[in-house]
Amino acid sequence: MKLKMAKNSLFAVLLRSPWWVSMLLVLVFGLLSFALLPKAYIPFGLLGTLPFLVIGVIAASRQWDLPSSAAVADTLAKATAMPWRDFADALDAAYRAKGYTVARLNGKAADLQLSKDGQTTLVAAKRWKAANHGVEALRELAAAKENQSAAACTYISIGGVTDTAQQFAKTQGIALVADVALAQLLLQAAK
């Protein structure tokens, strides 16, 4: 069972923040407990830091293998400068490094067909440089998924995806890969 958390709750914000922010809060609250609380209540003050410690550990585990912001910016700048053929080659290598069999498609909706463990995933990436991505390309990808009986589909972009497109992707089960996730994917191929 997956727990839902309000998007702007303190813990949700801390999970999206660098891990050390939560650990800094643990330190500050711990020091305040020693400085302000009577000796008998210090353990209770320290106990209050436990949720922040847990969030810090969760955030650290999620962020452990993420590339640095400089590496993300450099990788995305290089990807933006690539012609389609080179970008497709980079994606091909990245997905092969993850154990997929990759086939190039000539269709309008999807550019790559990934196969792994009997499952097929369609990937649309040709519009990766567009400044903003709307729903139309996602509709085409969802239709291609249905027509080809694919198990999943992924839409790759560097530019932002509109809120409407994000909502559509969520309802259709389309994975959106952009920014840090795209840089991480491309960097895996370079390893």
Side-chain angles (χ1 to χ4, degrees), residues 22-68:
S22 295
M23 295 306 184
L24 183 63
L25 287 173
V26 169
L27 179 64
V28 168
F29 288 140
L31 291 174
L32 286 173
S33 294
F34 279 104
L36 301 176
L37 294 176
K39 195 171 191 173
Y41 293 109
I42 291 175
F44 297 107
L46 294 176
L47 190 60
T49 66
L50 189 60
F52 297 102
L53 180 65
V54 170
I55 292 293
V57 170
I58 292 170
S61 69
R62 288 181 178 177
Q63 297 167 13
W64 189 258
D65 288 331
L66 292 181
S68 69

Side-chain angles (χ1 to χ4, degrees), residues 81-157:
M82 288 180 185
W84 164 246
R85 186 171 304 221
D86 293 345
F87 185 69
D89 289 343
L91 288 177
D92 189 308
Y95 281 117
R96 287 182 192 280
K98 291 180 85 166
Y100 287 95
T101 302
V102 181
R104 303 264 176 112
L105 302 175
N106 292 325
K108 182 180 177 186
D111 305 303
L112 302 173
Q113 181 178 338
L114 311 177
S115 299
K116 184 176 183 181
D117 300 329
Q119 300 289 320
T120 301
T121 301
L122 298 178
V123 177
K126 201 167 275 181
R127 298 177 182 113
W128 88 101
K129 288 185 188 184
N132 208 354
H133 300 263
V135 176
E136 191 55 38
L138 295 174
R139 279 194 182 110
E140 292 172 2
L141 183 58
K145 175 186 172 189
E146 188 72 30
N147 290 339
Q148 296 184 27
S149 300
C153 53
T154 301
Y155 188 81
I156 295 179
S157 67

